[in-house]
Amino acid sequence: MRPQGRAPTESLYFTYPHFDAPEGAARERLAADTRVAIVGAGPVGMVAALTLAREGVASVLLDNKATFNDGSRAICVSRSSFAILESLGAVAPFLDKALGWTMGRSFFRGTQILEFEMSDPASEKYRPMYNLQQQYIEQYLWDAVAREPLIETRWQSEVTGITDHPDAVELTVTDPQATYAFRADWVLACDGARSPIRRMKGLRLKGENYEGRYVIADIRSGHDYPTIRRALFDPACRPGGTVLVHKQPDDIWRIDYQLADDEDEAEALQEANVRASVAAVLADLGETGPWDLEWWSVYSANTLLLDEYRHGRTFFVGDSAHIVPIFGVRGLNNGLADGQNIGWKLGHVLTGRAGEDLLDSYSPERRGATLDVFANASKSARFMTPPTRGWTLMRDAALSLALDHPFAGGLANPRQMTPFTYAESPAVLPDDPAFTGGAGVGSALPDARVDGGFLSDRLGAGYTLICFDERLAEGVRSLPDAPDVVCLAPDSEAATVLAAGPQAAYLVRPDRHVAARWTTASAEAVRDALARVTFQSLPDNAAAGTVEA
Ligand SMILES: O=C(O)CCc1cccc(O)c1
């Protein structure tokens, strides 16, 4: 919602573009079939399309709107999401605009009870978290999509029907000029929390709805507090409730405040009431300067997901597959990881670099990540918004204790997002038990400084072998369909971070998760591992195991 007198997308600081529906010559060129159709041109759909393009696969991106999503919605972008944006060649504007942050402070009845710092070692290229309004996230991704010849975008094009065939999916599309059908080999449903594709396929999200509703309001103010997450428990401005405050670029501040159980939602969302509540929060923060109201909405925490993210030739990606609480900032970041995961897997399958069985790893990997998010976010949601009087008593007891005993403040730590480890996935190998430390199989590869740059700069677009022995590197490079090989000095920072001895090696997937690792590697082992994790049979001449290394 926006203040009276302002149009639905009339922002104080952002100009929403208008996208025409396909018309004229563009309309005549619309493909009647395509390999991949992506429904929903939000951040998740655009990441999926860009990942496919990076794999050399063309896609059609459809969206029923004529512009970006209204309002800021998501605001926190994690380090791992920045790695995804970098892999898509899209990270530069994000780095220019977003506000990096590492620290949070929690207050109970006005007294600080916790200051937490997220891990930010010099060996990592990106900060653990960045704040950026969703419309900028969509704008910068759109700039990359618009540059990409392998992506055809159809705005104002609503998918109104979906029919499965043995070897394709037929989509019915309605745009301002016509209703037409076209076929796709694969469909990615990136169409959001209310997913029409999910509804048309008769699928339901399952899980829990949490007590507690929050108004989320963006304001413009010259408030000069640094970019530090603030959580106010039982503050004077909202007795018994919780308030979150985040700084965003362009002097925009996100204020999330909890509604009391007996507060009427429609009443609370009246502009005058939102203004009064925001003014009370600002007074509590000691901010007396002028401010403008930009946008507001209401939100309540849910942990809901589909039983299965793959249904035949359709994959559910992002909020269409799962809805996670905002606490701990995992919604958008989880969705971007989904988009990348299905994007590279489909790309590898469609370009003949992996067998189709690889696609069956999408649902277990990404459902596993969502369930992990739920485990953490449920704890945070109960702490932020205790569901019963008993939970409130316990939470307040912990917060009171924290006034004098800092250890108890740790309970108010939101446990910010870390990437999920796919240890049980069919698309990774069992770990080498001889490793003590480093990055386990399935985990996201940590970064390390290499020759004035970073290890992540050296990784290829496909699988990459990281090793520390030139003979092994040469043996792997001479394999048919060899992965990219990065050979580093045995005393490099990467060797320390990866707990790697001179004969060790890591096989890293296109999404920078570890597919396999060895304390003592050989070219044969790498060749066999690559065949297994890409669900391909070994070439005939490999059976005898003859590889020079
Ligand atoms: O700090 C948190 O735990 C949540 C921050 C957040 C993320 C997305 C939307 C929003 O209103 C707040």
Side-chain angles (χ1 to χ4, degrees), residues 73-76 101 216 229 244 246 254-256 326-329 384 414 416:
R73 301 173 180 219
I75 52 168
C76 299
W101 60 278
I216 67 178
R229 174 193 192 262
L244 283 174
H246 277 276
R254 165 65 51 86
I255 298 177
D256 299 57
I326 54 169
F327 312 115
V329 304
M384 300 298 290
Q416 304 285 338

Side-chain angles (χ1 to χ4, degrees), residues 48-122:
L50 287 165
T51 308
L52 279 161
R54 182 188 191 224
E55 297 276 325
V57 173
S59 63
V60 170
L61 188 55
L62 300 133
D63 200 290
N64 60 357
K65 302 188 302 324
T67 190
F68 302 140
N69 285 296
D70 175 34
S72 177
R73 301 173 180 219
I75 52 168
C76 299
V77 189
S78 67
R79 171 183 287 146
S80 51
S81 293
F82 263 65
I84 294 175
L85 298 168
E86 181 188 88
S87 73
L88 302 176
V91 81
F94 287 86
L95 275 175
D96 281 349
K97 188 80 183 178
L99 303 177
W101 60 278
T102 58
M103 187 188 272
R105 292 183 180 144
S106 298
F107 301 81
F108 181 50
R109 297 180 184 150
T111 303
Q112 185 174 316
I113 49 141
L114 169 75
E115 182 169 283
F116 70 84
E117 270 283 349
M118 292 182 284
S119 166
D120 190 24

Side-chain angles (χ1 to χ4, degrees), residues 228-251:
I228 292 176
R229 174 193 192 262
R230 280 176 290 176
L232 318 180
F233 295 97
D234 199 8
C237 59
R238 248 202 180 241
T242 305
V243 176
L244 283 174
V245 185
H246 277 276
K247 182 177 188 167
Q248 305 173 67
D250 295 340
D251 285 335

